[in-house]
């Protein structure tokens, strides 16, 4: 089972991995990904969402991953609200008996989060703000998982 949370609060990668693997001897690997707000010209990134829609979409992505690989657990955390460069936005951590399954499931979940998770992102740069458009590269990454 993959736990899904959408929250404003920061998360602790080590605590999340420990929660997945503590007192477990069947887990051989935990693969994780943490996405951060990039700096440069971006002064802040605000993520908005519709909570009921977002939870369903993230749970569907997690369920699809669990149907494709023999997973022993997982955690997906996506933050919303106003975030600053260096802030963590998203965490995907997936536990499996073998590393190949953990790596593949982690990448699959992240590729689908980038394209199918209903978040609206607004960047603040130079005192102005603009909505961020979807990127073709993200859709291409997701499409390689299609059956």
């Amino acid at each position: 089972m993959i736990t899904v949370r959408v929250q404003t609060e920061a998360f602790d990668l080590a605590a999340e991995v420990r929660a997945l693997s503590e007192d477990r001897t069947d887990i051989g690997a935990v693969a994780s990904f943490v996405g951060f707000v990039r700096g440069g010209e971006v002064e802040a990134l605000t993520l908005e969402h519709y909570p009921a829609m977002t939870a369903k979409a993230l749970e569907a992505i997690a369920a699809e991953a669990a149907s494709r690989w023999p997973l022993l657990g997982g955690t997906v955390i996506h933050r919303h609200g106003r975030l600053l460069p260096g802030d963590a936005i998203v965490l995907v951590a997936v536990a499996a008996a073998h590393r190949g399954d953990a790596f593949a499931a982690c990448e699959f979940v992240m590729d689908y989060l980038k394209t199918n998770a209903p978040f609206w992102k607004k960047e603040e740069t130079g005192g102005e703000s603009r909505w961020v458009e979807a990127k073709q590269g993200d859709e291409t990454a997701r499409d390689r998982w299609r059956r």
Side-chain angles (χ1 to χ4, degrees), residues 54-138:
T54 306
K56 284 183 182 179
L58 271 56
E59 289 165 2
I61 294 167
E64 180 65 24
S67 76
R68 291 180 179 224
W69 292 277
L71 303 179
L72 299 173
T75 302
V76 174
I77 302 172
H78 208 301
R79 294 180 66 196
H80 65 95
R82 189 172 187 267
L83 302 169
L84 301 174
D87 285 347
I89 302 174
V90 63
L91 163 74
V92 177
V94 180
H98 303 285
R99 71 174 188 246
D101 293 329
F103 279 132
C106 185
E107 190 169 14
F108 171 88
V109 170
M110 197 57 232
D111 285 344
Y112 270 79
L113 286 176
K114 288 290 286 182
T115 54
N116 291 28
F119 287 97
W120 294 270
K121 300 175 184 175
K122 186 183 285 185
E123 283 183 351
E124 296 175 32
T125 58
E128 297 183 5
S129 62
R130 68 171 184 87
W131 293 104
V132 177
E133 300 287 330
K135 296 178 183 159
Q136 181 61 41
D138 293 335

Side-chain angles (χ1 to χ4, degrees), residues 5-110:
R5 298 194 317 256
V6 180
Q7 62 190 44
T8 56
E9 301 82 18
F11 51 80
D12 180 337
L13 171 62
E16 298 299 336
V17 170
R18 188 172 41 257
L20 274 176
S21 60
E22 196 167 61
D23 299 325
R24 303 275 306 260
T25 59
D26 55 338
I27 294 173
V30 174
S32 65
F33 173 87
V34 177
F36 295 91
V37 176
R38 280 189 302 271
E41 295 180 10
V42 175
E43 298 159 356
L45 180 67
T46 301
L47 284 83
E48 296 181 5
H49 74 113
Y50 179 65
M53 181 189 306
T54 306
K56 284 183 182 179
L58 271 56
E59 289 165 2
I61 294 167
E64 180 65 24
S67 76
R68 291 180 179 224
W69 292 277
L71 303 179
L72 299 173
T75 302
V76 174
I77 302 172
H78 208 301
R79 294 180 66 196
H80 65 95
R82 189 172 187 267
L83 302 169
L84 301 174
D87 285 347
I89 302 174
V90 63
L91 163 74
V92 177
V94 180
H98 303 285
R99 71 174 188 246
D101 293 329
F103 279 132
C106 185
E107 190 169 14
F108 171 88
V109 170
M110 197 57 232

